[in-house]
Amino acid sequence: MRISYNWLKQFIKLDWTSEETAALLTDLGLEVEGVDKYESVKGGLQGVVVGHVLTCVPHPNADRLRITTVDLGDGTPVQIVCGAPNVAAGQKVPVATVGTDLYDKEGNHIHIKKGKIRGEDSFGMICAEDELGLGESHDGIMLLAEDLKPGTPASKLFNIENDEVFEIGLTPNRADAMSHWGVARDLRAGLTQKNVHTELITPSVSNFRVDKRTLKMDVKVDDNKLIPRYCGVTISGITVKPSPAWLQNRLKAIGITPKNNIVDVTNYVLHELGQPLHAFDAAKIRGNKVIVKTAEAGTKFVTLDDVERTLHEEDIVICDENGPMCIAGVLGGKNSGVTENTSSVFLESAYFNPVSIRKTAKRHSISSDSSFRFERGIDPTITQYALKRAALLIQETAGGEITSDIIDIHPKKIEDHAVFLNFNNVKRIIGQEIPVETIKKILVSLDIKITTMSEIGLGLTIPSYRVDVEREIDVIEEVLRVYGYNNINFTQKLNASISNSSRTEDYKLQNIVANQLTALGFNEMMANSLTRPEYAKLSDSLKEEFNVLMLNPLSSDLSAMRQSLLFSALEAVSFNINRRRADLKLFEFGKTYHKLPSGYDENKHLSLTVTGNRQTESWTKLKNEKTVSDFWMFKGIITIVLERLGISKYKTELINNDVFAEGLAFTVGSDIIVEMGTVKKSILKEFGIYSQPVAKMFDEFEQNVFYADFNWGAIIKLVSVKMKFTEISKFPAVRRDLSLLVDSATSFEELYNIARQTEKSLLKEISLFDVYEGKNLPEGKKSYAVSFTLQDSNKTLTDEQIDKIMNKIRQNLETQAGAQLR
């Protein structure tokens, strides 16, 4: 929000520098993010002086140019080549001297330097009004009064306004400070705390009077809950034209482009008092009736920005007999606004329900200065005052007469609300005792009335415009920000308590897993829980009716809570691949949300996503070394994570669904703790991830995406992170290898379980180190090379013991799995 310092000084007389004022505003919670300079004429006409044309003769080399000699008041006349048809000896003219920077009204820059024009020296420029940024004319040079002294700075001749503009980062709760008047109120409170006493100057409306009653509007308000207050008045005999310079300068300083005197006045009052207004061309109001109601669903309406919008049944509209003229509090209509032909207006000032205006603005994707204020909550007590202020300004700038009584439909007054402030609570929350008289002084400076007082505390009445002050804690915050956060003392001692917490708390387990994954080259991602509802169509396991939909979404892409972390991960993969980052390892802790028939359901998950190469390109890579991430590498990562959490007793089984082309489920009992697999190409295509060969240096690989979903809630119940330390055995381990011929359908897991059941004590490790399928093997067979590691922690194993165990393992593999020793 931009606040003009000159404008602010109309409300509060202050001789502080802008830096001092900015510091105080920031301390008060109105953070000043920057201070910009504003000049009504850019450059301030610095370097432009009054010149006296002494001589003027034709240019010898150009018919349309003149060579002039100009006295600039320094005793040394200079030669200037001029092309204006009206230049003549004896004139007083504005001259831009060498080194001057000029800017026209469009901001185009001209730097004046010494030069030669058609062979003749020229030391400056005699200017037209458009070249100085003072007007539009370029018919000839600007002529000045004859009695002016040469060398007089041009900045002294013209009413150039110099201003400083505060850029305030206004927080959403400070609706009371959305105007120059509101900022001035806060500034007065801060000055009072610093013992700088100054009055808040309020614009007078005492001159408002009804001139005649010749143009009456019948106003009807259908819903007083949505429209608690509505005011209007007619003004006739106006002339629509450009606003006076002072009004244009005020608006330009805060970044608003002037349009005409009527529209400019409504914008002026909006930024002056914080009350949005709207001016209708009275001649375009059919039947002289103004009806304030909610729209009929599906009504088409063209707004000021020339966009046809479909109205919602909850949108408040201002109508005449024929239909809508304006979307209330948001944006006016194309066919009811003020034009250069307007001679009478109906001026509206209202207080609309903030929630309704916010929904309408979001629904139609409109953000206007009016909606910005209405949706946060304006002051309902100044509705008529702001209307009178605007009417007087219209009369001042456009002429005309007030031709109706003020219509003020206000059936139920919005009351101020009461709060009790306990002194002990002030001390407890702030951590420091503030004198009672100081508290009272601060509250009075904030227009908070003290109705009762006791030893315990104060009974207070909060003005209705302070929509953010409803509770005692809000009042304490007000006291503290005006008293000054910098005035609160800090103790030198820090007190802290140590709590006894479990090693398996959620956040601790997350840190353990996160550290493990980052050590494996993963990056943590954080995705928005809001996503597209259409993603539920990509999998039969998700249902559209289970979507948790937003009532007032920011956009259609953020209108539903996610049912799965998969699609957030694929969005991240697509985003990175499109920026030539195809080698990815990502993980995310997040929640999924479902609207089930039994109620809302929220679950925590951990997702892993891997695609591209295992490692970045390196000269150390062996020629035949496999670098592309694959299914088994990904399965190994999942195993590592589970083992780090102390989960080792699980089973794996193949899964077949519409998400994975091939997948595995890790189960403990009847619970699925992890689902992993290769994401189907049809799903990847939805995200622009195409599984096709991609050239990378000397390799080509398919852009497969591997995804795992950990059921974090189930995993937490199984976690065992007790640290166990085992001394390295003094006795040697023995390894024996078997080459086994098995059926193609036989899995290594089956052989592993048979061996484990055969020898539970001395068999320490079973590893599969080779698999072969191909020629020289019978059809339907494959070869497994399996190693068995045996060790006794109390003694050295003998050959007889080893052979006995291995024979028993071999026999059980043959009888239970049909394995044959090769």
Side-chain angles (χ1 to χ4, degrees):
M1 183 181 70
R2 293 174 66 83
I3 294 293
S4 158
Y5 199 17
N6 287 349
W7 199 344
L8 199 60
K9 289 178 182 178
Q10 291 180 199
F11 293 101
I12 192 164
K13 299 301 181 184
L14 188 63
D15 58 0
W16 283 21
T17 66
S18 60
E19 290 77 11
E20 293 173 313
T21 304
L24 179 55
L25 288 173
T26 299
D27 288 343
L28 288 167
L30 301 177
E31 182 183 2
V32 177
E33 298 173 341
V35 181
D36 300 325
K37 301 289 185 182
Y38 169 76
E39 296 168 322
S40 58
V41 176
K42 191 172 182 181
L45 298 183
Q46 295 299 313
V48 180
V49 299
V50 175
H52 182 202
V53 181
L54 302 176
T55 65
C56 179
V57 297
H59 194 295
N61 302 318
D63 293 340
R64 296 186 179 182
L65 298 180
R66 301 287 186 273
I67 298 175
T68 65
T69 305
V70 184
D71 177 13
L72 299 180
D74 58 1
T76 306
V78 297
Q79 177 175 294
I80 299 176
V81 177
C82 180
N86 65 330
V87 65
Q91 295 172 336
K92 296 291 178 64
V93 294
V95 178
T97 57
V98 173
T100 298
D101 291 306
L102 295 179
Y103 302 86
D104 62 17
K105 283 188 173 293
E106 283 71 42
N108 299 315
H109 172 241
I110 305 172
H111 180 71
I112 306 302
K113 56 185 178 181
K114 173 186 174 182
K116 279 184 178 285
I117 301 177
R118 292 292 183 93
E120 297 292 335
D121 291 330
S122 185
F123 298 88
M125 184 173 78
I126 302 175
C127 303
E129 67 175 41
D130 67 326
E131 293 167 332
L132 296 173
L134 294 172
E136 306 292 338
S137 175
H138 193 70
D139 295 336
I141 59 170
M142 190 176 187
L143 301 180
L144 304 177
E146 291 292 329
D147 59 349
L148 291 175
K149 184 179 178 181
T152 303
S155 58
K156 293 184 177 181
L157 306 179
F158 303 99
N159 186 23
I160 298 173
E161 178 161 345
N162 295 301
D163 198 357
E164 293 170 294
V165 181
F166 302 117
E167 185 67 48
I168 295 179
L170 191 67
T171 53
N173 63 310
R174 291 304 308 278
D176 63 295
M178 294 187 296
S179 65
H180 287 75
W181 190 24
V183 173
R185 280 188 307 225
D186 243 31
L187 188 58
R188 179 193 59 178
L191 290 169
T192 301
Q193 177 61 22
K194 292 182 177 294
N195 294 317
V196 179
H197 298 286
T198 182
E199 292 297 322
L200 187 64
I201 303 169
T202 304
S204 173
V205 294
S206 60
N207 291 331
F208 180 88
R209 69 177 185 275
V210 179
D211 297 299
K212 55 182 71 171
R213 295 174 175 82
T214 55
L215 182 58
K216 181 184 177 182
M217 292 289 171
D218 293 327
V219 179
K220 179 185 177 184
V221 174
D222 280 2
D223 190 334
N224 294 122
K225 289 184 178 179
L226 293 178
I227 309 101
R229 189 172 189 183
Y230 190 88
C231 297
V233 71
T234 61
I235 308 170
S236 302
I238 62 172
T239 302
V240 178
K241 58 185 178 180
S243 297
W246 69 266
L247 179 51
Q248 291 196 36
N249 288 335
R250 285 285 180 264
L251 296 179
K252 287 178 181 177
I254 59 174
I256 295 176
T257 302
K259 293 180 175 60
N260 59 56
N261 48 2
I262 307 301
V263 174
D264 291 349
V265 164
T266 60
N267 284 330
Y268 181 86
V269 173
L270 180 146
H271 289 277
E272 179 186 49
L273 303 177
Q275 172 67 55
L277 302 133
H278 191 73
F280 299 91
D281 188 330
K284 297 176 182 177
I285 301 176
R286 302 305 176 205
N288 284 357
K289 290 185 178 180
V290 175
I291 306 163
V292 190
K293 62 178 185 177
T294 53
E296 293 182 12
T299 301
K300 302 295 183 181
F301 180 65
V302 180
T303 46
L304 277 173
D305 53 3
D306 222 15
V307 175
E308 183 179 78
R309 304 179 189 276
T310 302
L311 300 180
H312 188 273
E313 64 267 19
E314 294 181 359
D315 294 337
I316 304 172
V317 288
I318 314 298
C319 303
D320 61 9
E321 284 187 340
N322 290 354
M325 300 186 293
C326 171
I327 302 177
V330 179
L331 194 61
K334 180 182 178 182
N335 299 320
S336 62
V338 173
T339 68
E340 57 189 16
N341 299 318
T342 299
S343 60
S344 59
V345 295
F346 173 70
L347 188 62
E348 166 198 277
S349 178
Y351 177 83
F352 298 113
N353 180 278
V355 175
S356 176
I357 299 300
R358 181 179 182 276
K359 287 182 177 180
T360 296
K362 294 296 182 183
R363 191 180 295 122
H364 296 289
S365 300
I366 300 173
S367 180
S368 63
D369 284 337
S370 293
S371 66
F372 178 82
R373 285 158 176 79
F374 275 126
E375 66 189 31
R376 285 162 175 78
I378 61 171
D379 184 356
T381 65
I382 68 165
T383 311
Q384 188 179 127
Y385 167 72
L387 183 71
K388 290 180 178 180
R389 170 68 170 156
L392 290 172
L393 286 173
I394 287 175
Q395 285 186 297
E396 177 184 337
T397 60
E401 297 176 313
I402 308 295
T403 51
S404 76
D405 291 314
I406 289 180
I407 301 160
D408 189 354
I409 300 175
H410 191 201
K412 184 177 180 182
K413 183 181 177 182
I414 299 175
E415 300 290 343
D416 297 339
H417 50 279
V419 172
F420 184 79
L421 179 66
N422 187 297
F423 294 138
N424 288 333
N425 287 339
V426 175
K427 180 180 178 181
R428 178 178 58 85
I429 291 170
I430 294 178
Q432 179 177 316
E433 187 168 359
I434 297 177
V436 172
E437 288 304 314
T438 301
I439 294 174
K440 290 166 62 179
K441 179 181 174 183
I442 290 172
L443 294 173
V444 171
S445 71
L446 291 170
D447 294 336
I448 297 175
K449 296 178 183 178
I450 300 173
T451 54
T452 61
M453 181 176 175
S454 66
E455 293 181 357
I456 299 174
L458 301 172
L460 306 173
T461 299
I462 312 298
S464 56
Y465 68 80
R466 289 309 305 268
V467 295
D468 60 320
V469 182
E470 297 180 340
R471 305 163 298 166
E472 180 187 37
I473 189 65
D474 299 326
V475 176
I476 294 173
E477 182 185 357
E478 291 296 294
V479 171
L480 178 56
R481 73 177 181 86
V482 176
Y483 181 75
Y485 290 96
N486 296 333
N487 295 324
I488 302 301
N489 299 321
F490 292 89
T491 61
Q492 300 299 315
K493 183 174 67 173
L494 177 65
N495 297 322
S497 59
I498 300 174
S499 61
N500 182 19
S501 60
S502 168
R503 291 178 58 86
T504 58
E505 286 193 54
D506 191 346
Y507 77 94
K508 291 184 178 180
L509 296 179
Q510 288 189 47
N511 287 337
I512 290 172
V513 173
N515 290 335
Q516 181 78 16
L517 290 171
T518 52
L520 293 171
F522 278 76
N523 290 304
E524 184 170 9
M525 61 172 278
M526 296 179 68
N528 200 330
S529 294
L530 296 175
T531 188
R532 298 175 58 194
E534 294 80 10
Y535 285 157
K537 299 177 183 178
L538 299 179
S539 172
D540 291 338
S541 60
L542 309 177
K543 297 184 182 297
E544 286 188 85
E545 58 267 27
F546 290 171
N547 276 330
V548 180
L549 299 175
M550 298 294 101
L551 294 177
N552 191 21
L554 294 173
S555 70
S556 58
D557 289 342
L558 299 172
S559 59
M561 305 289 280
R562 60 182 175 180
Q563 292 192 49
S564 170
L565 272 58
L566 169 63
F567 307 118
S568 300
L570 293 180
E571 285 178 345
V573 170
S574 176
F575 181 89
N576 280 272
I577 289 176
N578 290 337
R579 287 153 183 79
R580 304 185 67 83
R581 294 175 59 89
D583 303 331
L584 301 170
K585 292 180 180 177
L586 305 172
F587 74 94
E588 179 189 10
F589 288 98
K591 291 183 177 180
T592 59
Y593 308 86
H594 305 267
K595 185 180 180 181
L596 304 175
S598 58
Y600 290 100
D601 187 41
E602 183 176 323
N603 296 300
K604 196 164 191 175
H605 294 259
L606 163 65
S607 71
L608 304 187
T609 310
V610 170
T611 187
N613 285 320
R614 299 186 186 190
Q615 299 175 343
T616 56
E617 295 167 353
S618 171
W619 65 273
T620 60
K621 184 186 70 174
L622 297 177
K623 183 176 180 180
N624 296 321
E625 184 180 354
K626 189 175 183 181
T627 63
V628 180
S629 301
D630 59 26
F631 185 92
W632 301 108
M633 181 273 298
F634 190 52
K635 178 177 179 290
I637 293 172
I638 294 167
T639 302
I640 290 172
V641 171
L642 293 176
E643 289 179 353
R644 182 66 183 87
L645 293 173
I647 302 174
S648 57
K649 295 181 179 180
Y650 55 80
K651 294 181 179 180
T652 59
E653 56 186 52
L654 295 174
I655 55 174
N656 183 20
N657 58 32
D658 55 358
V659 172
F660 297 129
E662 53 181 347
L664 285 177
F666 292 69
T667 62
V668 175
S670 60
D671 293 329
I672 298 176
I673 58 172
V674 185
E675 287 186 325
M676 63 150 287
T678 308
V679 181
K680 283 189 172 181
K681 296 179 182 180
S682 58
I683 293 180
L684 297 182
K685 189 175 180 180
E686 295 288 333
F687 294 85
I689 305 169
Y690 298 101
S691 187
Q692 57 188 8
V694 180
K696 295 225 29 176
M697 295 296 287
F698 305 106
D699 297 319
E700 287 190 349
F701 66 93
E702 286 192 311
Q703 193 75 51
N704 289 320
V705 177
F706 304 98
Y707 176 80
D709 177 24
F710 289 70
N711 183 343
W712 193 250
I715 285 174
I716 286 178
K717 298 176 183 178
L718 301 171
V719 165
S720 173
V721 290
K722 293 181 179 179
M723 303 299 291
K724 294 182 179 181
F725 299 92
T726 304
E727 183 181 0
I728 297 176
S729 177
K730 296 181 290 185
F731 303 100
V734 178
R735 169 172 164 165
R736 291 288 186 269
D737 297 341
L738 294 180
S739 181
L740 302 170
L741 187 67
V742 298
D743 292 338
S744 296
T746 302
S747 66
F748 168 69
E749 184 179 16
E750 186 178 347
L751 303 182
Y752 180 95
N753 292 333
I754 293 170
R756 277 290 181 202
Q757 291 297 322
T758 303
E759 177 54 55
K760 298 180 180 179
S761 176
L762 301 179
L763 185 57
K764 302 299 183 184
E765 187 176 340
I766 308 168
S767 298
L768 176 67
F769 63 88
D770 189 37
V771 179
Y772 176 72
E773 290 181 280
K775 60 182 180 180
N776 300 327
L777 289 182
E779 186 176 351
K781 297 288 185 178
K782 61 183 176 183
S783 174
Y784 278 160
V786 185
S787 68
F788 302 86
T789 302
L790 303 168
Q791 187 179 37
D792 192 329
S793 58
N794 298 316
K795 62 182 179 180
T796 302
L797 290 173
T798 63
D799 289 340
E800 183 179 350
Q801 288 178 294
I802 296 169
D803 291 341
K804 182 178 178 180
I805 293 171
M806 291 305 301
N807 286 333
K808 191 174 181 180
I809 290 173
R810 179 177 57 80
Q811 291 173 3
N812 286 344
L813 291 175
E814 288 176 352
T815 57
Q816 295 180 37
Q820 301 176 30
L821 196 63
R822 291 188 65 196

